[in-house]
């Protein structure tokens, strides 16, 4: 497999001590307090919070570019992957002064200042809060209504009737359909149960327009492959043995686990970019884990690099034309 970029991962270049409970890290001269380093976060493997922080420190050169300038929704697991979690949007009041935030007005009129991850210091600070995966917005902070990619979350029906082999089949169907339209698409494992398919787009269409395209595409896929695909968003209505082509994740304010994120699964699986050849060959979610993916990333490079490209799909080509606005005709006089 060809290396996709010259970016390098150097495991251990920013070491997190394994024999200490806490430390103050100083990436780029910024103090970041790291706590509970020896606390077991993944009981099935014994991996600790320190191991999680070390992973993110190692892959920061790959990961951080996809976080920059985007609001981050925090999903916190204070007691590790097997414990309860809660979502947190607003940046806590004790955040360091150097941490940038993204203030976004919501429908209620409230303004929420989300944290942003610009560098290794910001990454370590967020993970130290007990975040296992990262969940960034699809749009950048300077225009939160216009995303620069769309995606399809291929999610097996939750009744246990859908195999991951079916998820792979659906991913290949989605890729084939997008390719027929001349739309480039890239895949990554979700790290949980599915596959994410992403399309880098030129900023322009509003989030609702991107969602509308994704919905129409998902419904078309359901008509073409009703034996394996559903676009039914109501959980109770989804047929068994199918994969949901989830278009609704493209709605404003929604997030998915980021590329290179560790997931809160027993084996500490990682959301990993994969080639379409690998999907066809039969990858499994458990192939990519906290304990083995760094070697892969060092070997194959950043397969997600097209998400950073300045050459992006102009989605307007596939959107219905907006009718021209007409002025109201004045009533005839006399």
């Amino acid at each position: 497999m060809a290396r996709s970029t010259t970016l390098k991962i150097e495991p251990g270049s920013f070491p997190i001590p394994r024999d200490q409970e806490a430390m103050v890290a100083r990436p780029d001269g910024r103090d970041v307090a790291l706590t509970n380093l020896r606390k077991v976060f993944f009981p099935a493997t014994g991996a600790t919070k320190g191991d999680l922080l070390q992973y993110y420190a190692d892959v920061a050169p790959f990961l951080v570019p996809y976080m920059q300038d985007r609001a981050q929704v925090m999903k916190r697991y204070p007691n590790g992957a097997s414990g309860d979690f809660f979502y947190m949007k607003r940046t806590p009041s004790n955040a360091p002064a150097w941490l940038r935030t993204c203030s976004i007005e919501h429908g209620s009129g409230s303004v929420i200042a989300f944290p942003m991850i610009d560098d290794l210091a910001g990454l370590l600070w967020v993970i130290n809060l007990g975040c296992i995966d990262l969940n960034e917005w699809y749009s950048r902070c300077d225009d939160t209504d216009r995303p620069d990619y769309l995606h399809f979350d291929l999610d097996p029906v939750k009744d246990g009737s859908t195999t991951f082999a079916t998820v792979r089949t659906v991913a290949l169907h989605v890729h084939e359909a997008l390719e027929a339209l001349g739309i480039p698409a890239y895949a990554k494992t979700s790290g949980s149960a599915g596959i994410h398919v992403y399309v880098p787009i030129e900023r322009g269409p509003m989030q609702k327009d991107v969602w509308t395209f994704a919905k129409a595409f998902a419904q078309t896929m359901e008509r073409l492959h009703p034996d394996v695909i559903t676009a039914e968003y109501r959980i109770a209505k989804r047929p068994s043995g199918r994969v949901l082509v989830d278009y609704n994740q493209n709605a404003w304010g929604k997030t998915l686990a980021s590329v290179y994120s560790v997931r809160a699964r027993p084996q500490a699986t990682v959301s990993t970019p994969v080639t379409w050849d690998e999907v066809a060959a039969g990858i499994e979610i458990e192939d990519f884990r906290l304990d083995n993916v760094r070697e892969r990333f060092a070997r194959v490079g950043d397969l997600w690099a097209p998400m950073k490209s300045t050459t992006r799909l102009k989605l307007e080509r596939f959107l219905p034309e907006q009718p021209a606005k007409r002025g109201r005709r004045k009533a005839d006089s006399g």
Side-chain angles (χ1 to χ4, degrees):
M1 183 184 299
R3 180 181 295 275
S4 59
T5 75
T6 56
L7 202 60
K8 292 182 179 179
I9 283 183
E10 297 179 3
S13 61
F14 193 92
I16 307 294
R18 298 180 62 86
D19 58 349
Q20 293 177 213
E21 193 60 35
M23 68 173 293
V24 176
R26 299 204 71 204
D28 301 318
R30 293 172 169 170
D31 287 354
V32 185
L34 304 180
T35 58
N36 298 314
L37 297 178
R38 299 173 69 182
K39 187 172 188 175
V40 174
F41 257 40
F42 297 91
T45 67
T48 64
K49 185 181 178 186
D51 294 328
L52 181 69
L53 284 159
Q54 185 67 70
Y55 165 81
Y56 278 113
D58 292 343
V59 303
F62 277 23
L63 174 62
V64 168
Y66 304 107
M67 302 291 104
Q68 290 171 328
D69 299 320
R70 298 178 192 271
Q72 187 75 216
V73 175
M74 296 165 284
K75 187 176 182 182
R76 298 178 63 177
Y77 292 80
N79 293 306
S82 60
D84 293 336
F85 66 86
F86 63 94
Y87 287 98
M88 185 176 182
K89 296 181 178 180
R90 200 176 300 276
T91 305
S93 58
N94 63 348
W98 47 259
L99 184 78
R100 277 205 312 149
T101 60
C102 177
S103 295
I104 302 175
E105 184 175 353
H106 285 59
S108 61
S110 64
V111 176
I112 297 177
F114 294 79
M116 290 195 290
I117 294 173
D118 291 327
D119 49 29
L120 176 57
L123 176 60
L124 293 179
W125 181 82
V126 167
I127 300 304
N128 189 65
L129 293 178
C131 296
I132 291 177
D133 53 24
L134 297 167
N135 299 269
E136 82 281 7
W137 274 50
Y138 311 134
S139 52
R140 298 196 299 274
C141 190
D142 61 341
D143 192 341
T144 54
D145 293 316
R146 301 178 191 274
D148 53 7
Y149 53 87
L150 73 90
H151 60 83
F152 301 97
D153 179 13
L154 311 183
D155 195 17
V157 170
K158 302 300 186 188
D159 62 3
S161 62
T162 307
T163 65
F164 192 66
T166 306
V167 177
R168 292 194 301 266
T169 296
V170 170
L172 294 171
H173 286 328
V174 168
H175 179 227
E176 180 183 28
L178 291 170
E179 197 171 48
L181 293 171
I183 296 177
Y186 305 88
K188 68 182 181 73
T189 62
S190 70
S192 178
I195 289 176
H196 297 159
V197 179
Y198 276 60
V199 177
I201 62 173
E202 185 178 309
R203 263 204 318 191
M206 300 291 284
Q207 185 91 45
K208 182 63 179 292
D209 296 322
V210 176
W211 175 90
T212 299
F213 172 84
K215 180 179 181 180
F217 181 86
Q219 291 174 333
T220 299
M221 294 304 299
E222 181 183 50
R223 288 193 295 272
L224 291 172
H225 304 282
D227 56 326
V228 289
I229 292 178
T230 180
E232 176 56 62
Y233 203 68
R234 293 166 296 181
I235 295 174
K237 297 281 188 179
R238 293 175 196 164
S240 292
R242 308 304 197 278
V243 174
L244 173 67
V245 178
D246 190 351
Y247 59 86
N248 209 43
Q249 290 293 343
N250 289 278
W252 190 88
K254 295 274 192 177
T255 63
L256 283 177
S258 168
V259 67
Y260 300 120
S261 283
V262 181
R263 303 303 305 274
R265 308 290 291 181
Q267 298 301 316
T269 45
V270 174
S271 182
T272 300
V274 291
T275 67
W276 290 111
D277 285 344
E278 288 179 312
V279 175
I283 53 153
E284 298 288 348
I285 292 286
E286 294 77 15
D287 291 342
F288 311 108
R289 306 180 308 274
L290 177 66
D291 65 347
N292 71 356
V293 290
R294 277 165 282 199
E295 183 278 330
R296 171 184 169 85
F297 300 154
R299 176 169 47 86
V300 306
D302 181 16
L303 296 180
W304 215 235
M307 293 302 123
K308 296 184 292 188
S309 173
T310 55
T311 303
R312 312 175 77 83
L313 177 76
K314 198 171 181 64
L315 191 64
E316 289 91 336
R317 293 165 39 205
F318 302 93
L319 300 176
E321 261 188 62
Q322 298 294 321
K325 292 183 178 179
R326 298 180 179 178
R328 184 176 298 174
R329 291 182 72 182
K330 293 182 180 179
D332 292 338
S333 60

